[in-house]
């Protein structure tokens, strides 16, 4: 039935393509400042648009400021000629002329004047869409912001995003809390699922994009609170290269490089590399990692582009689960004190992934895109950690286990995109199919607990040599989905986004332990979305939306006897918001009011404590406000505010009705700003302020609220940039996050890092 549905949709779309015309869609540009003739050549290569200047002679006498970001070709070309006294006149779909401006007009150069502001994104719709036309909260952390804050991890990238908090992840993985929903598997790379539990690095990332609220219509299962999509830097002809080296406190050493250039067949290559060897403020902490990501693009024809790439990423570090609690608060010990084994605690992960994207323009209004990813993910971690609170006698229990996971992911997505019109109503229609196969082998040993450990002697080794096997299984999952979406421009002021996805998700577990049965389950779910947008002016957008997702029991490739028979949970998000372009479109401001319900949450059956039933509910209600861009040229601004109320509204297996959701602050304020005091010198800083949070659904342990200040000072000269970043400038004592009541992560004391960047 699903195949028939897709064929019908394709058959419906193809005839319309013959008669439709399409405006130029936004795309990503990264053209360096320099002579205008070189910038125009790179623009022509990237877009296929021929640019002429018959009355001007050589364009080499003009200096272009360059352009970077996601823009329409028209906006990008206007940005390239900004300040030259020239204007752009399009003479056709694929031709433009540069002429001398009789009456110079002001042009806002997105990406040069507003480095934190993004005009469009493909994360929320799979088509390059202006942010004002997306009826959902989408927050984008740009490469400029990552550089200014010296962010190198998911935790560092998302620290300024309102409505998002960072979870500890047991010291061996990225984990975030989106609108009250904790997740370690709702990560994507260029729109493709990247759900293996691991730490990610941002050395090859162009932007980190956070879509808040369910998004199953495009991303499939999970994502109850939202998703995090890493957009990688693509190869481009003439793109500038960069080398960066860092030194800092706690023996921090890191280097990255990006190089690229042109190759035959109108193509380009890009090579991103990274190496790091660092310590940390925690006792015995170490971090060793490296990454290499070559990618290539070719254009075998004017209507076809192919991008292929490979990534190898390795990460090894001390598995650190923090400190325990005492009497409902973090125990009072030095921030560096370690609980566990310095010789046995270790987390290692490796990624080997290959990907390819093929795009072909069938007609002026119809295009097809296919993306394939094959990845192997190996993870091994062993930890000894605080397994209890500290008692009145100042003793505690240490628990211990190790865990090996070897996973392979294979995903293929095919999208058909049609831009057409029916009368005065225009459409951007998307029809797609996704198929995926995942399988993994998993082995876990649980060592004997170590009781009566004195608080003053918290470093102990566990008896792993005699630890029995707790988990030994092979699991696999198959995904088959079809989805449709229509972005409709009903009039100059009214727009809509509607869509639906049909998923079939099958998971099976082959258990190698004799006492455990083999389990399997197949779930089918439909996930709709709908949004209505009103734009009274070209700088104001007001919207309302509904989005949903489903959460099957085996979504992380695990099943138990009391979950294998359960239908999926679901999440539904109701949202009203507004997006504004202020200060000459230099500053984006967005606000949203939402209610997110996670329904059919597992709960213990009242007549049988060994059985689970789907009767629980978790609800998060809140308001988020964000701003990104520039107050004026040279003065950037990024941050926002969130007020959240997350609680259990119907009892679940984790908590009774009325309990508050863990790691969700009532109030959260983030702010970051920089100012160029001269063409060479600049500086800035930021604040993170949040109210207290509970560490778990028990609501027995509280992390106090805190305010942390960060700062940066930088100097630029020609191709070079030197920056000094200071985290926690005031040396505030605080507790950053937790994994349950007795794995609490102290915040880092004042930390300085010096970086040198050279462009070439």
């Amino acid at each position: 039935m699903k195949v028939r549905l897709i064929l019908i949709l394709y058959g419906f779309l193809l005839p319309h393509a013959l008669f439709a015309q399409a405006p130029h869609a936004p795309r990503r540009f990264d053209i360096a400042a320099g002579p205008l003739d070189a910038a125009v050549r790179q623009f022509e290569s990237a877009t296929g648009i021929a640019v002429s200047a018959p009355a001007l002679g050589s364009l080499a006498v003009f200096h272009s400021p360059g352009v970077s970001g996601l823009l329409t070709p028209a906006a990008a070309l206007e940005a390239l000629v900004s300040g030259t006294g020239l204007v752009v006149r399009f003479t056709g779909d694929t031709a433009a002329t540069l002429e001398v401006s009789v009456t110079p007009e002001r042009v806002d150069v997105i990406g040069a004047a507003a480095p934190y502001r993004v005009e469009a994104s493909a994360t929320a719709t799979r088509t390059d869409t202006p942010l004002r036309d997306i009826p959902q909260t989408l927050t984008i952390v740009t490469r400029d912001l990552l550089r200014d804050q010296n962010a190198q991890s998911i935790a560092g990238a998302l620290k300024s995003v309102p409505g998002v908090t960072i979870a500890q992840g047991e010291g061996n993985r990225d984990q975030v809390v989106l609108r009250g929903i904790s997740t370690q598997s709702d990560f994507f790379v260029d729109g493709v699922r990247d759900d293996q539990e691991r730490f990610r690095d941002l050395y090859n990332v162009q932007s980190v994009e956070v879509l808040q609220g369910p998004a199953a219509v495009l991303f499939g299962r999970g994502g109850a609170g939202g998703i995090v999509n890493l957009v990688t830097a693509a190869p481009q002809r003439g793109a500038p290269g960069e080398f960066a080296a860092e030194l800092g406190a706690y023996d921090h050493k890191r280097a990255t490089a990006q190089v690229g250039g042109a190759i035959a067949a109108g193509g380009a290559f890009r090579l991103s590399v990274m190496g790091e060897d660092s310590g940390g403020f925690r006792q015995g902490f170490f971090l060793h990692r490296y990454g290499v990501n070559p990618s290539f693009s070719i254009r075998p024809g004017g209507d076809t582009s192919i991008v292929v790439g490979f990534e190898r990423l390795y990460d090894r570090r001390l598995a650190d689960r923090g400190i325990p609690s005492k009497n409902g608060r973090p125990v009072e010990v030095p921030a560096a004190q370690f609980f566990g084994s310095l010789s046995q605690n270790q987390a290692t992960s490796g990624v080997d992934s290959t990907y390819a994207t093929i795009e072909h323009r069938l007609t002026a209004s119809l295009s097809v895109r296919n993306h394939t990813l094959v990845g192997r993910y190996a993870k091994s971690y062993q930890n000894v950690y605080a397994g209890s609170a500290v008692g009145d006698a100042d003793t505690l229990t240490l628990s211990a286990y190790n865990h090996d996971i070897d996973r392979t992911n294979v995903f293929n997505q095919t999208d058909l995109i049609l831009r057409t019109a029916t009368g005065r109503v225009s459409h951007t229609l998307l029809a797609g199919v996704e198929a995926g196969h995942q399988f993994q082998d998993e082995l876990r040993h649980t060592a004997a607990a170590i009781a009566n450990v004195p608080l003053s002697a918290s470093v102990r080794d566990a008896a792993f040599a005699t630890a029995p096997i707790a988990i030994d299984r092979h699991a696999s999952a198959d995904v088959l989905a079809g989805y449709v979406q229509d972005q409709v421009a009903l009039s100059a002021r009214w727009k809509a986004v509607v869509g639906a996805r049909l998923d079939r998700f099958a998971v099976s577990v082959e258990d190698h332990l004799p006492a455990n049965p083999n389990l399997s389950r197949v779930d089918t779910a439909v996930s709709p979305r709908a949004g209505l947008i009103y734009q009274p002016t070209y700088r104001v957008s007001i919207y309302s939306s509904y989005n949903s997702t489903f959460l099957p029991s085996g979504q992380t490739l695990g099943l138990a006897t009391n979950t294998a028979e359960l239908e999926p949970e679901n999440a539904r998000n109701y949202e009203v918001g507004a997006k504004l372009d202020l200060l000459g479109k230099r500053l984006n401001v967005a606000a949203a009011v939402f209610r997110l319900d996670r329904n059919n949450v597992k709960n213990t059956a009242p007549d049988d404590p060994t059985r689970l039933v789907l009767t629980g509910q978790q609800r998060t209600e809140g308001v988020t406000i964000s701003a990104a861009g520039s107050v004026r040229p040279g003065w950037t601004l990024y941050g926002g505010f969130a007020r959240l109320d997350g609680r259990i509204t119907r009892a679940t297996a984790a908590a009774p009705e009325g309990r508050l959701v863990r790691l969700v602050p009532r109030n959260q304020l983030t702010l970051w700003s920089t100012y160029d005091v001269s063409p060479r010198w600049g500086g800035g800083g930021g604040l993170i302020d949040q109210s207290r949070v509970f560490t778990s659904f028990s609501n027995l342990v509280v992390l106090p609220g805190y305010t942390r200040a960060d700062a940066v000072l930088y100097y630029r000269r020609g191709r070079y940039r030197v920056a000094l970043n200071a985290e926690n400038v005031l040396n505030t004592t605080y507790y950053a996050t937790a994994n349950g009541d007795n794995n609490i992560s102290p915040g880092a004391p004042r930390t300085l890092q010096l970086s040198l960047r050279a462009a070439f």
Side-chain angles (χ1 to χ4, degrees), residues 72 304 404 416 539:
T72 62
T304 304
D404 296 328
L416 192 65
R539 294 188 178 184

Side-chain angles (χ1 to χ4, degrees), residues 244-405:
E246 302 172 13
L247 295 173
Y250 310 111
D251 203 26
H252 174 75
K253 302 180 293 295
R254 177 182 169 94
T256 62
Q258 291 82 37
V259 297
I263 59 176
F269 77 93
R270 183 183 182 95
L271 175 64
S272 299
V273 296
M274 173 275 300
E276 181 171 352
D277 183 4
S278 298
F281 77 97
R282 295 278 291 161
Q283 179 185 358
F285 184 82
F286 64 88
L287 170 59
H288 309 306
R289 59 180 166 183
Y290 68 85
V292 57
N293 175 206
S295 58
F296 305 86
S297 68
I298 60 173
R299 299 183 66 89
D303 295 325
T304 304
S305 67
I306 301 173
V307 177
V308 297
F310 169 80
E311 182 181 19
R312 166 65 176 167
L313 180 63
Y314 174 84
D315 185 298
R316 184 170 70 90
R317 66 182 70 198
L318 181 75
D320 180 9
R321 295 178 63 164
I323 67 176
S325 67
K326 182 178 181 180
N327 297 327
R329 297 177 69 87
V331 65
E332 294 185 6
V333 295
Q337 183 171 339
F338 187 74
F339 289 77
S341 170
L342 292 174
S343 62
Q344 295 176 327
N345 280 42
Q346 181 174 280
T348 303
S349 64
V351 177
D352 293 285
S353 64
T354 302
Y355 55 89
T357 301
I358 303 173
E359 296 187 59
H360 180 68
R361 186 171 61 184
L362 299 169
T363 71
S365 58
L366 181 65
S367 61
V368 62
R369 176 179 59 226
N370 181 271
H371 188 99
T372 300
L373 180 141
V374 179
R376 184 176 182 271
Y377 310 85
K379 178 181 178 181
S380 176
Y381 65 98
Q382 181 167 271
N383 51 183
V384 182
Y385 59 97
S388 74
V390 176
D392 293 336
D394 275 350
T395 61
L396 71 151
T397 297
L398 294 178
S399 300
Y401 71 91
N402 59 33
H403 203 172
D404 296 328
I405 304 174

